[in-house]
């Protein structure tokens, strides 16, 4: 290969560092744009269930797009695992490595990661990577998200680090082998090609930067950017008092057993930074809510950044003063072959809640009340008799964001560890034998407070033709999202199934969780077969409130009533705001009502 030629060396400067910071982030963002615009499955092209990032040649995170916090936080674990199998000396221009094994990469099996080296001349400048959630990777059920799996082998095909492309040539035989074990091979081929294209765009843009600055200087800027982030983290830590503060919260079962499963975290602020210790957390469970260490680390990184400095550049510098203790064989660091599919969906969100709850002990003004508490997975799949082909509808549904000291929680959004969009109703009905009967905000689901929580969502879908397998996985159906500083909890989630109107309950087959035409309440996590005409209902939890509800400005309460977010009865009985027939605030009666409520409390 030709030797690279570099421009004269230039000294580093703050302005140049900021320019390179945004240049590298824009490379990752452009990779994400290529991936979502060229993907085939709605889960990636519409919901944008994917993430992209840039790494040094040694596998340290340099920059990432504003995609999914869980993906981005655990991708360094993936890259390090790949480099252990394929050290930089074994990688060549045009290579791409594929992996999805959670016990190597950290995520769950539907998340397939592709990593490609970036060579400038004969020098390896760094790595580009993307991770995307595929709609099916085999396993016991369509969508590969069974809530009753007891070992990882039931969750789909496991891919160790393997070169899917060597020196620009795609390994079509390997792709054929993988596709042969999936229900939706067409989408798989299309999405893998989109992932390869995204990495190729990242390589091209990185080479442009290397051509402009030269490899040595670009590398120096990468190192300085990570060091700068570390310095900012140490400075931000000064707002946290020294000492240890703890919190505990619970999952509502593992999908097989409905008993509480605790997650406990203690955060110690010391001279060297932070130690986060999950000792005391429940042992790993039989059901698929076990979170690998990579998932747990991602949650820690997200919460630390959110609490200390949300504008902190996301790179390896964030991790340098953090020690994370995850006992082996626990819910937050399970031993193979424990199932893990729904840890991303539920356990990651509860870990985030626990960490925020711990920080709330010492800095409540920097955290939100508990949010909806789950990514609320909704999967329907089967054989469409009209086409004779498998389909797999995969959705994660937003809910209420927890309120903060100075603002309401957002309504119907994803919180904490996820950042996907929804699937448009039109796309669902065009792509699958499904009908969307209802989709909107769940009125009165927000936790009341001086700042109210966000509202949850309601999604109702009917299977139009053919039998289907349904998997629903949510949380906070029994333990509501907590409020802070006198704020009330959000409304609990609900999941239910209504059988076809012409079917009697006694006709149900053994094992089916369907009853009559009114939605029958189901556990928050269930997998079952349903007949055509069955309607599935999922209502996600609202966010917790912040501060006493009686301190909320009456005009804001009135506006919530006018916008249909809360009932008039709620305004009076919870907020103490009395409205006239014309829905104006009756100031005198409101003062009397609030005084009466304060006295009763």
């Amino acid at each position: 290969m030709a030797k690279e030629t570099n421009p004269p060396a230039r000294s580093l400067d703050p302005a140049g560092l900021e320019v390179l910071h945004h240049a590298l982030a824009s490379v990752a963002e452009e990779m994400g744009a290529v991936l979502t615009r060229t993907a085939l499955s709605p889960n990636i092209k519409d919901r944008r269930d994917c993430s992209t990032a840039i790494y040094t040649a040694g596998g340290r995170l340099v920059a990432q797009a504003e995609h999914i916090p869980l993906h981005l936080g655990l991708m360094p674990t993936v890259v390090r695992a790949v480099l252990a199998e394929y050290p930089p000396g074994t990688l060549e221009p045009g290579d791409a490595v594929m992996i999805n094994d959670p016990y190597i990469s950290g995520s769950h099996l539907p998340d397939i990661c592709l990593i490609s080296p970036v060579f400038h001349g004969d020098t390896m400048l760094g790595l580009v990577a993307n991770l995307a959630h595929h709609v099916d990777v085999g396993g016991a059920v369509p969508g590969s998200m069974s809530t009753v799996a007891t070992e990882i082998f039931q969750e789909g095909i496991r891919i160790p680090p393997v070169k899917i492309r060597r020196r620009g040539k795609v390994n079509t035989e390997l792709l054929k082998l993988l596709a042969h074990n999936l229900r939706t091979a067409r989408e798989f081929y299309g999405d893998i090609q989109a992932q390869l294209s995204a990495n190729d765009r990242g390589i091209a843009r990185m080479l442009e930067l290397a051509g402009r600055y030269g490899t040595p200087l670009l590398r120096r800027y990468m190192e300085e950017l990570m060091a700068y982030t570390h310095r900012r983290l140490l400075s931000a830590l000064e707002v946290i008092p020294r000492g240890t503060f703890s919190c505990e919260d619970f999952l509502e079962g593992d999908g097989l057993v409905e008993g509480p499963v605790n997650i406990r975290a203690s955060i110690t602020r010391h001279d060297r930074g932070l130690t986060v210790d999950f000792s005391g957390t429940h042992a790993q469970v039989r059901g698929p809510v076990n979170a690998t260490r990579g998932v747990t680390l991602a949650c820690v990184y997200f919460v630390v950044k959110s609490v200390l400095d949300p504008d902190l550049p996301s790179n390896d510098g964030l991790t340098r003063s953090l020690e994370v203790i995850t006992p082996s064989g626990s819910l937050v660091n399970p031993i193979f072959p424990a199932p893990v599919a729904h840890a991303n969906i539920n356990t990651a969100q509860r870990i985030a809640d626990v960490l925020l709850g711990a920080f709330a002990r010492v800095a409540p003004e920097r955290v939100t009340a508990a949010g909806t508490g789950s990514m609320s997975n909704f999967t329907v799949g089967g054989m469409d008799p009209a086409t004779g082909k498998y389909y797999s509808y995969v959705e994660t549904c937003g809910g209420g964001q927890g309120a903060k000291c100075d603002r309401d929680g957002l309504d119907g959004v994803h919180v904490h560890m996820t950042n996907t969009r929804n699937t448009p109703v039109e796309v669902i009905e065009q792509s699958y034998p499904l009908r969307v009967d209802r989709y909107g905000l769940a009125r009165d689901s927000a936790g009341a407070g001086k700042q109210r929580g966000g509202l949850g969502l309601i999604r109702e879908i009917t299977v139009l033709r053919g039998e289907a397998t349904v998997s629903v996985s949510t949380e906070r159906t029994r333990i509501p999202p907590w409020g802070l500083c006198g704020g009330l909890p959000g409304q609990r989630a609900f999941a239910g199934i209504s059988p076809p109107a012409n079917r009697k309950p006694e006709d149900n087959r053994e094992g089916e969780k369907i009853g009559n035409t009114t939605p029958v309440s189901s556990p928050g996590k269930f997998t079952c077969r349903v007949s055509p005409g069955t309607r599935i209902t999922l209502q996600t939890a609202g966010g917790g409130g912040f501060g006493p509800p009686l301190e909320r400005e009456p005009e804001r309460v009135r506006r919530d009533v006018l916008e249909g977010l809360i009932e008039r009865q709620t305004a009076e009985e919870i907020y103490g705001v009395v409205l006239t027939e014309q829905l104006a605030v009756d100031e005198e009666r409101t003062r009397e009502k609030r005084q009466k409520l304060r006295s009763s409390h």
Side-chain angles (χ1 to χ4, degrees), residues 14 25 71 78 135 172-173 201-202 213 237 246 290 314-315 364 372 409 419 421 449 451 453 461 463 539 542 558-559:
H71 288 175
V78 184
V135 294
T172 55
E173 291 187 351
R201 179 61 61 87
Y213 294 94
L237 276 170
S246 304
N290 300 288
S314 297
N315 59 49
T372 189
N419 189 32
R421 299 185 177 188
Q451 312 294 342
I461 289 180
V463 178
Q539 177 174 326
R558 184 185 79 91
R559 191 161 58 243

Side-chain angles (χ1 to χ4, degrees), residues 423-437 464-465:
T423 307
V425 171
E426 297 84 356
V427 171
I428 294 174
E429 296 185 344
Q430 282 181 349
S431 305
Y432 312 110
L434 305 173
R435 183 183 67 232
V436 179
D437 298 303
L464 296 180
R465 54 184 182 269

Side-chain angles (χ1 to χ4, degrees), residues 77-87 91 97-99 104 115 161:
T77 304
V78 184
V79 173
R80 286 193 296 269
V82 166
L83 290 178
E85 184 77 17
Y86 292 99
L91 295 172
V97 180
M98 171 191 286
I99 181 175
I104 301 174
I115 301 164

